[in-house]
Amino acid sequence: MTMQVELVSPERILFSGEADMVICRTVSDGEIAFLTGHAPFLGALAIHSTRIKRPDGTEEVAAVHGGFVHVRDDTVIILSDVAELASQIDAERARRAKETAEEKSRDADDAEAHAALQRAVVRIDIAGA
């Protein structure tokens, strides 16, 4: 038994298909996995990776930079302002972004610089996944 999964950003649908399990991280509950039959759920997403395990055993990994996850009736919808599939990440660009964010966060206690650093680290982590 599978569930329908949609991973959507304002620009496009990154993933639409069936999955056996979805694993993501919420800001308040930490990492959570959804299987078929999961109770209805709505949560705010942290800047972190999201993993979609397909019925054929393959896995789609995405960098999700905030947003929401909604689960109901064996359907998981992930809405994110910015999301990228691992296969689409330019690891070198992510490394440069990390260096820039590290410099900015050292100079000041800047929340946006810290968030940029988190985003870059997630991109680098999943680009190698």
Side-chain angles (χ1 to χ4, degrees), residues 9-90:
S9 74
E11 297 85 33
R12 64 185 187 211
I13 297 171
L14 287 103
F15 179 87
S16 178
E18 291 186 340
D20 288 333
M21 180 173 19
V22 176
I23 304 165
C24 54
R25 180 165 293 177
T26 63
V27 293
S28 59
D29 298 322
E31 198 162 78
I32 187 167
F34 303 106
L35 299 166
T36 56
H38 196 284
F41 181 87
L42 178 64
L45 293 170
I47 297 171
H48 202 269
S49 62
T50 292
R51 298 188 315 270
I52 301 167
K53 298 187 181 243
R54 297 181 185 183
D56 65 4
T58 61
E59 185 174 86
E60 193 70 55
V61 181
V64 175
H65 308 298
F68 296 92
V69 59
H70 179 255
V71 180
R72 183 173 180 176
D73 299 329
D74 290 332
T75 300
V76 178
I77 301 172
I78 300 165
L79 303 171
S80 179
D81 288 339
V82 178
E84 304 165 279
L85 296 176
S87 59
Q88 300 169 336
I89 293 175
D90 179 341

Side-chain angles (χ1 to χ4, degrees), residues 98-117:
K98 179 179 180 244
E99 290 169 7
T100 301
E102 284 173 335
E103 288 173 23
K104 287 182 181 178
S105 64
R106 272 195 298 265
D107 295 339
D109 190 21
D110 182 353
E112 182 52 41
H114 290 296
L117 180 58

